[in-house]
Amino acid sequence: MDTPFDPETVVIVTGSSSGIGAATVIKFAEKGVNRFCITGRNEQGLQKTKEELVKVNPKAECVVVIGDIADPNTCEEIVSKTVDKFGRIDTLINNAGIFLYGSVRDAPMDQFDSIFSVNLRPVVLLTKLCLPYLEKTKGSIVNNSSTAGLKSFTNVSYYCMSKAALDMFTRSLAAEEMKRGIRVNSVNPGIIDTQIHYHAGFPEGKMESWLALHDEIVGRHGTCEELANTILFLSSKQASFVNGAIVTVDGGRFCSNLV
Ligand SMILES: NC(=O)c1ccc[n+]([C@@H]2O[C@H](COP(=O)([O-])OP(=O)(O)OC[C@H]3O[C@@H](n4cnc5c(N)ncnc54)[C@H](OP(=O)(O)O)[C@@H]3O)[C@@H](O)[C@H]2O)c1
């Protein structure tokens, strides 16, 4: 089968220091993509992603931006360094995100601000900065949302709200940009094996029951590789007529009557 990516393709993946973002970079590299911008706050994590990237594709070149994506300067640096090095942008994967436990009654407004300042605002800013370049390459965007954007879950309302807003951003932007040849799609994972749940601040025992309920319904967690496969498909020429799609990758949980 032909590689679905041209050799000059340039891919930006936010939150590529771990989990789904890191797996996505590696999957792109396995498919022959050579030029990347990887970014996050964790320098060691980014170094690990870079080493694995070069192992699977020795030709791979990589811009590394270390910084907090909530800081607009980081978004600007991601775009300027990528364009300075490679002269183009083909694919933007808005993957960085945080998940925090807390009810509307108890969680402070600071938690609302933190979630929206990472899960939503930088997605919009980075997208705005990338659009002129994506227009030139007829490129595409994939946003990493969640089934929590499609269905309410108790005690994570701010997270659900951030992902619901992200889904509407995906659809609205797809509608705005289709005539310019830019496609915008979303992956909406269920429970995927990463560390995100361990950093959420669940009270003792709650994370285990949260994950156990998922296992009871679906039978297992998803893998980062399964997410990466879908992200790659949506980014590729093989998905050339897929636009504004909200694609659940959750083993079927969302359509279960036990959801
Ligand atoms: N795992 C799941 O079950 C699941 C389910 C639904 C949706 N998702 C979504 O999948 C995406 C990736 O999460 P993951 O599961 O792969 O978890 P993860 O391993 O914790 O990855 C999160 C990534 O986001 C980056 N990030 C977080 N806050 C940041 C900040 N302020 N500035 C810059 N980068 C930041 C992290 O980088 P640094 O730590 O280096 O800053 C990390 O690379 C998220 O958007 C999440 O909402 C995950």
Side-chain angles (χ1 to χ4, degrees):
M1 192 173 70
D2 283 350
T3 169
F5 299 100
D6 295 328
E8 66 270 24
T9 299
V10 175
V11 179
I12 297 173
V13 183
T14 68
S16 33
S17 55
S18 62
I20 296 165
T24 300
V25 170
I26 303 308
K27 187 60 72 180
F28 270 114
E30 283 172 4
K31 297 290 175 195
V33 173
N34 299 319
R35 307 197 283 179
F36 294 90
C37 173
I38 63 173
T39 179
R41 291 162 304 174
N42 180 337
E43 199 171 342
Q44 270 187 326
L46 291 171
Q47 186 55 35
K48 193 164 163 246
T49 303
K50 191 175 171 183
E51 282 164 15
E52 281 180 44
L53 172 62
V54 176
K55 241 187 258 168
V56 300
N57 179 354
K59 281 199 243 158
E61 292 179 88
C62 195
V63 166
V64 182
V65 176
I66 300 157
D68 186 342
I69 198 124
D71 179 348
N73 294 324
T74 305
C75 295
E76 276 162 24
E77 203 184 325
I78 289 168
V79 175
S80 62
K81 285 199 167 157
T82 303
V83 172
D84 284 353
K85 170 106 177 137
F86 300 122
R88 60 188 282 158
I89 299 170
D90 298 80
T91 304
L92 169 63
I93 312 296
N94 283 310
N95 166 73
I98 52 170
F99 174 65
L100 298 173
Y101 180 93
S103 66
V104 174
R105 186 173 287 255
D106 295 331
M109 285 311 288
D110 284 357
Q111 189 187 97
F112 174 93
D113 292 337
S114 300
I115 288 181
F116 274 72
S117 74
V118 175
N119 291 5
L120 201 61
R121 197 178 194 284
V123 174
V124 178
L125 175 56
L126 199 51
T127 298
K128 281 165 79 70
L129 294 169
C130 287
L131 282 177
Y133 300 101
L134 293 171
E135 184 177 355
K136 282 187 199 151
T137 56
K138 305 294 169 217
S140 83
I141 298 172
V142 179
N143 294 323
N144 192 351
S145 179
S146 170
T147 47
L150 304 169
K151 148 120 194 39
S152 53
F153 291 94
T154 51
N155 299 322
V156 288
S157 296
Y158 301 153
Y159 179 77
C160 294
M161 290 161 67
S162 72
K163 296 299 191 179
L166 180 59
D167 289 347
M168 189 47 77
F169 180 63
T170 296
R171 292 199 195 95
S172 307
L173 187 67
E176 282 184 16
E177 294 298 328
M178 65 172 88
K179 289 267 169 60
R180 295 187 191 90
I182 302 172
R183 295 182 303 106
V184 189
N185 291 296
S186 173
V187 284
N188 294 52
I191 302 277
I192 309 301
D193 248 332
T194 72
Q195 291 299 302
I196 199 165
H197 305 101
Y198 295 85
H199 301 142
F202 278 101
E204 194 159 346
K206 288 270 187 200
M207 183 187 74
E208 290 72 11
S209 53
W210 168 271
L211 297 177
L213 173 63
H214 174 89
D215 288 351
E216 198 188 309
I217 299 167
V218 178
R220 69 172 175 90
H221 297 175
T223 65
C224 291
E225 195 183 5
E226 287 171 312
L227 249 296
N229 283 334
T230 311
I231 292 171
L232 254 75
F233 168 70
L234 290 172
S235 317
S236 75
K237 289 183 275 186
Q238 287 166 349
S240 50
F241 207 52
V242 182
N243 197 11
I246 304 291
V247 181
T248 54
V249 185
D250 69 343
R253 178 174 177 177
F254 185 63
C255 55
S256 158
N257 57 349
L258 298 171
V259 70

